[in-house]
Amino acid sequence: MCGIVGYVGGKQAAPFLLDGLKRLEYRGYDSAGLAVYDGRKLVMRKTAGRLQRLADIVAESPLPGRLGIGQTRWATHGRPSDINAHPHPDCRGQIAVVHNGIIENYSSLRQWLKERGHRFLSETDTETIPHLIEEYYQGDLVAAVRQTVARLKGSFALAILSAREPDKIVAVRQGSPLVAGLGDEENYLASDIPAILPHTRQVYILEDGEMAVIQKESIQVTDFRGHPHAKEVFQVHWDPVMAEKGGYEHFMRKEIHEQPRALRDTLTGRLDDNDMVDFGEMKVFTPERLKAAKRIYIVAAGTAYHAGVIGKHLIEKLARVPVEVDLASEFRYRDPLLTEGDLVIVVSQSGETADTLGALREAKRLKIPVLAITNVVGSAVSREADDVIYTWAGPEIAVASTKAYTTQIITLTLFALHLAVLRGTLDPEERRMLVRGLRELPQKAEEVLSREETVAGLAREFARREDVFFIGRGLDYAVAMEGQLKLKEISYIHAEAYPAGELKHGTLALIGDGVPVVALATQETLEDKMVSNITEVLARGARVLALAAANDGRIAEVAHDVVPIPDIHPLLRPTLAVIPLQLLAYHAAVARGADVDKPRNLAKSVTVE
């Protein structure tokens, strides 16, 4: 979850490190710190709280030096505090370590090190690492790191400095992301590409089990035993402006408004002139294998799981293949009954989600082919899956996912359409109507965004409430789940989503005078049922906001407020219907004074269990 940066070169390290951490603050923001070699010794500055507090400390007490590492933390072991903030030193203050991940056997290591005379200051698992390196150091930092890594169990990305060898950073990856950037007489390290994008577009993406020695003029990559690994340079094509706010108050609002572009980019090149889906990037998921599929598992976490629920509806309806949707954290431990003919699709925005990676590896262990849908090129999920389809959403910085979610839905829609054509389960006219709707989707998304001020006004009313309920049926229930997640994760309003047909089975007991209910009613085939459900909550005093097809007068007759969804193929409405819910959550959070981009207790990339 934490963000790591490193610099070695001819310039002052601290400004680079602070700027890089600012670009990674979405990965964790309860404490931050730097370690810089000042020409004589390692000097550290670290503090609990947001990164600006660290920047103020460095401004008051500068850190001169041309070699340094830094971290912005999301706490797993030990509360957020100055002493628990990274970097962590050894007993002599000659080694400094920053770490992303969890050391599962830290307790036994800590006890062993204490018995050997090492003194610990923090509550963290990370602090065992510099002490292990100190224990093994005999004049060769890299050798000491190799011995240390052999003792560690868990997931970790490490950046390590030593005052005894002040010409290098040693970086280690095992289960948590790291990239090394190549510069001119300077080189860089980071957890994610946006941190170094203003300085280089050429990076090495480290794999699990790799170690990099980063010096001013070189980057040497080996495995943990020291065997050299030849690395291909990955050329980054992002526009640096894409990782900035672009004039918006928050990254989340910017990313909501980027959805028309993101949808357009994800569709580009994937629909040919004959209205057929082109997934030329898939090599293992061949037409023959897809036609023979007996069952598909979609595995994901959080928002990506909600996209997977929509994918299930679409694949089953269009391609008539049974689909199970699993939370990755449950799938990997429930001994799933995967058999020959099954296929697994894992969905992850970052491509580094720990539980999703675990599920992927479990499927691979059982020799089941895995397709990854992810937004990050070179991520662990994309590298370990048999095939990968990228969602071209671009960098997503806000913790609450928006454009990554809608592009996941569209990618799953394309997959369902592709599978249906291969299996001969879709009428050609229905296919043409769907493809026409897909081509219109970016423009329709812009139309939804044009209603932002209306949604903002409603959100200010919601902001005064502490409980909100979302109801829907079929595809609309899947969207309701995402809507309630967005509202509670950034505004801290308690929100719950229910299938509308379950109201009578307990949920109505929670509905009283003035309680807000968001009713999703975009599917004509379920309109009668939704009108009945809306009437039920109205009879208990609820205040109803409905999202309905633009031409649906019946819903408008019963709801207090209606946000119309532009006319488009019914199977594509979830992509549009979620946009007002994203805006509702955003503006409610702003009205309540919440930190929209960095909600409490959360981080963008969940790289630990």
Side-chain angles (χ1 to χ4, degrees):
M1 304 278 210
C2 310
I4 289 173
V5 291
Y7 174 85
V8 54
K11 300 173 185 174
Q12 291 297 308
F16 168 86
L17 298 174
L18 287 169
D19 181 68
L21 290 179
K22 181 179 179 182
R23 298 170 193 276
L24 292 179
E25 201 175 6
Y26 64 92
R27 297 183 66 90
Y29 37 83
D30 55 39
S31 61
L34 307 178
V36 172
Y37 180 72
D38 70 358
R40 297 182 300 109
K41 62 185 182 304
L42 293 182
V43 183
M44 290 192 291
R45 304 279 187 270
K46 57 182 187 174
T47 180
R50 294 296 172 86
L51 183 63
Q52 185 57 50
R53 186 172 175 182
L54 176 65
D56 293 342
I57 291 170
V58 172
E60 293 174 5
S61 180
L63 280 173
R66 293 175 171 81
L67 173 76
I69 55 176
Q71 193 235 36
T72 181
R73 181 175 184 246
W74 187 83
T76 56
H77 291 73
R79 61 187 175 83
S81 68
D82 292 357
I83 200 66
N84 286 335
H86 296 213
H88 288 289
D90 66 334
C91 295
R92 298 179 177 86
Q94 294 184 329
I95 296 167
V97 174
V98 295
H99 166 221
N100 174 26
I102 290 177
I103 306 303
E104 295 175 357
N105 61 332
Y106 84 98
S107 182
S108 60
L109 291 173
R110 188 181 181 108
Q111 183 60 38
W112 179 77
L113 287 162
K114 282 183 175 181
E115 292 171 357
R116 298 183 67 82
H118 292 265
R119 303 179 308 278
F120 286 79
L121 302 176
S122 79
E123 305 166 289
T124 68
D125 55 337
T126 302
E127 198 182 356
T128 58
I129 300 170
H131 289 288
L132 280 170
I133 296 170
E134 178 185 24
E135 181 71 22
Y136 292 127
Y137 187 81
Q138 294 183 353
D140 186 336
L141 178 63
V142 173
V145 172
R146 288 196 189 111
Q147 287 180 276
T148 295
V149 168
R151 296 285 307 271
L152 302 180
K153 295 180 181 178
S155 66
F156 43 89
L158 308 175
I160 302 153
L161 294 183
S162 172
R164 296 181 180 182
E165 300 183 36
D167 63 336
K168 64 174 69 73
I169 299 169
V170 180
V172 178
R173 169 175 177 150
Q174 182 61 46
S176 294
L178 274 181
V179 297
L182 290 81
D184 183 11
E185 296 292 310
E186 58 184 12
N187 288 310
Y188 322 97
L189 179 71
S191 293
D192 206 351
I193 290 171
I196 57 178
L197 194 55
H199 306 276
T200 184
R201 291 177 175 272
Q202 294 185 310
V203 302
Y204 291 145
I205 298 173
L206 299 187
E207 305 275 358
D208 282 354
E210 287 188 331
M211 178 185 299
V213 178
I214 303 170
Q215 297 178 285
K216 180 178 177 181
E217 296 179 350
S218 67
I219 299 176
Q220 302 296 325
V221 181
T222 68
D223 64 17
F224 288 174
R225 294 183 178 181
H227 301 127
H229 279 195
K231 299 291 290 185
E232 290 187 11
V233 174
F234 176 71
Q235 189 75 25
V236 182
H237 297 292
W238 292 348
D239 181 345
V241 176
M242 294 174 71
E244 301 295 336
K245 289 183 182 176
Y248 288 91
E249 183 181 359
H250 299 100
F251 279 113
M252 183 177 177
R253 185 163 178 252
K254 172 179 178 279
E255 289 158 9
I256 291 171
H257 280 266
E258 286 176 337
Q259 286 176 112
R261 190 273 311 156
L263 293 169
R264 192 173 292 113
D265 288 352
T266 298
L267 289 166
T268 297
R270 288 174 171 157
L271 293 171
D272 66 21
D273 294 338
N274 297 315
D275 290 339
M276 303 292 281
V277 176
D278 182 2
F279 277 141
E281 61 261 58
M282 292 199 304
K283 306 301 182 186
V284 173
F285 279 63
T286 60
E288 293 73 25
R289 176 165 265 162
L290 290 172
K291 284 190 285 188
K294 296 177 181 178
R295 182 173 49 175
I296 294 172
Y297 288 83
I298 299 176
V299 186
T303 284
Y305 170 79
H306 297 154
V309 174
I310 292 174
K312 167 187 169 69
H313 281 264
L314 296 173
I315 293 169
E316 290 187 342
K317 183 172 183 62
L318 297 177
R320 312 307 296 168
V321 179
V323 179
E324 292 190 27
V325 187
D326 267 279
L327 288 164
S329 56
E330 294 293 323
F331 179 87
R332 62 187 298 197
Y333 295 117
R334 72 172 177 84
D335 194 17
L337 294 174
L338 296 170
T339 58
E340 186 176 354
D342 291 344
L343 305 175
V344 171
I345 301 173
V346 297
V347 187
S348 169
Q349 183 280 136
S350 67
E352 303 288 348
T353 309
D355 286 316
T356 306
L357 268 171
L360 182 157
R361 289 163 181 165
E362 176 65 9
K364 296 276 284 184
R365 184 184 70 81
L366 296 171
K367 303 190 185 314
I368 303 298
V370 179
L371 169 67
I373 294 175
T374 185
N375 187 43
V376 180
V377 175
S379 60
V381 157
S382 70
R383 297 194 307 276
E384 294 188 29
D386 297 290
D387 275 325
V388 58
I389 302 173
Y390 289 110
T391 60
W392 300 116
E396 191 178 67
I397 306 302
V399 167
S401 181
T402 52
K403 60 180 180 173
Y405 170 74
T406 48
T407 54
Q408 286 166 357
I409 295 175
I410 288 309
T411 303
L412 286 163
T413 304
L414 290 169
F415 181 83
L417 188 56
H418 178 57
L419 187 59
V421 170
L422 290 174
R423 294 172 67 90
T425 56
L426 187 62
D427 177 78
E429 181 57 28
E430 178 75 3
R431 172 176 54 81
R432 284 190 287 271
M433 290 173 60
L434 263 169
V435 171
R436 184 169 67 233
L438 285 166
R439 296 187 193 278
E440 295 173 351
L441 201 56
Q443 182 270 322
K444 300 287 187 179
E446 290 174 353
E447 188 178 333
V448 176
L449 287 166
S450 72
R451 302 189 176 108
E452 180 176 9
E453 191 49 47
T454 299
V455 177
L458 295 166
R460 287 188 282 272
E461 294 294 320
F462 276 61
R464 294 198 285 266
R465 300 291 182 172
E466 294 302 325
D467 299 282
V468 177
F469 296 93
F470 291 71
I471 59 173
R473 289 173 177 263
L475 285 168
D476 284 334
Y477 171 54
V479 178
M481 288 195 290
E482 176 62 11
Q484 61 86 28
L485 177 62
K486 283 292 155 286
L487 185 65
K488 65 188 175 188
E489 73 179 329
I490 65 167
S491 74
Y492 317 139
I493 296 170
H494 169 253
E496 298 289 345
Y498 292 95
E502 291 296 297
L503 283 169
K504 299 184 188 71
H505 298 281
T507 312
L508 276 175
L510 300 171
I511 306 299
D513 288 343
V515 171
V517 174
V518 180
L520 287 104
T522 71
Q523 306 294 307
E524 287 94 339
T525 57
L526 297 168
E527 182 185 52
D528 290 343
K529 299 296 183 184
M530 283 305 300
V531 168
S532 175
N533 296 140
I534 291 170
T535 303
E536 287 172 346
V537 296
L538 287 171
R540 276 77 181 174
R543 178 84 187 183
V544 177
L545 165 62
L547 276 65
N551 57 0
D552 193 333
R554 291 186 63 198
I555 299 296
E557 288 176 2
V558 294
H560 293 96
D561 301 288
V562 177
V563 175
I565 303 304
D567 185 35
I568 201 166
H569 194 290
L571 296 183
L572 302 179
R573 286 179 193 154
T575 309
L576 298 180
V578 78
I579 297 174
L581 300 183
Q582 295 167 347
L583 291 168
L584 185 74
Y586 170 79
H587 286 287
V590 170
R592 289 167 69 94
D595 191 338
V596 174
D597 287 336
K598 305 180 187 71
R600 66 190 183 204
N601 302 331
L602 302 177
K604 181 65 175 174
S605 182
V606 185
T607 57
V608 297
E609 290 187 63

